[in-house]
Amino acid sequence: MMIRKKIAAANWKMNLTLTQANELLDNMVKDIALTNLNHEVVFAVPFPYLSAMKERIKSQKNIVIAAQNCYSKKSGAYTGEISAEMLASVGVDFVVLGHSERREYFVETNAQLTEKMQLVLDNKMKVIFCCGEPLHVREANQQNEFVHTQIQESLFAFTPEQLTQIVIAYEPIWAIGTGKTATTEQAEDIHQAIRAMIEKKYGTQVAQQMSILYGGSVKANNAKELFACANIDGGLVGGASLIAAEFLSIIKALPDL
């Protein structure tokens, strides 16, 4: 069985000045000791800081920089937008797409996300694709069907080879920034269901190769228990990634196998 990459991904969202960002990254990088080559740390930073952050981690192994979004068109008269080609030109490694905040505040659709992912993959970058249900769906116990629709409409157009360049981040919307966290059992159950969705469409090898991250209020005090689950391959971390000691503890919680 293929060993999946274990990933700690920091999503800084719309936070920090450049000075603050430089200080935070430097404080973390000096203490990140990735002895396991199967571990990867991703920093999804605001657009203006991408080049500076890339420069600061250039000598580090298995530490990479991500953008938090891109536009769904290749180029053109779209004032204020950022293309995948632009991101690739400054050395971005990953692009986070489909975050619940983008879906809610900017009304991003599954079809738009497919267009974005295609452009990211065409430009030789990887994708962290976010999916997950709101509270009313969870309360109706329809989370598997909801997430299946998101994945089917956004990912199933891609080839197996393309899918190997995509990481899925499951984020229960009701647990983002609320302090609530899905129980370990709830998180593992839906991660297992997501892997089964991929396996049914693409086969066992692709499903076992895909990293699936948990993204709902991951903190130092729950990361180890979550990451110990068979189908949880790390975390997409919001608020806790803005605190050096907290995120370093989360990185250290990544399992060796």
Side-chain angles (χ1 to χ4, degrees), residues 12 15-28 45-46 49 53 56:
W12 286 359
N15 292 295
L16 307 173
T17 65
L18 180 58
T19 299
Q20 292 168 334
N22 285 338
E23 182 179 358
L24 179 60
L25 188 70
D26 289 350
N27 284 341
M28 286 196 268
V45 306
Y49 309 157
M53 301 296 104
R56 296 182 100 82

Side-chain angles (χ1 to χ4, degrees), residues 104-146:
E104 180 181 357
Y105 305 146
F106 302 97
V107 201
E108 291 187 352
T109 66
N110 293 326
Q112 286 174 322
L113 293 172
T114 301
E115 294 175 344
K116 291 185 179 190
M117 282 189 282
Q118 184 66 63
L119 289 167
V120 169
L121 297 174
D122 287 347
N123 282 279
K124 311 302 181 189
M125 295 176 290
K126 296 181 180 180
V127 173
I128 296 178
F129 171 76
C130 302
C131 58
E133 80 283 356
L135 183 60
H136 73 275
V137 172
R138 167 66 66 166
E139 289 177 337
N141 197 32
Q142 295 177 335
Q143 62 274 5
N144 287 17
E145 294 86 348
F146 187 91

Side-chain angles (χ1 to χ4, degrees), residues 28-39:
M28 286 196 268
V29 167
K30 68 182 175 61
D31 290 325
I32 295 174
L34 295 178
T35 55
N36 189 326
L37 295 180
N38 200 49
H39 290 175

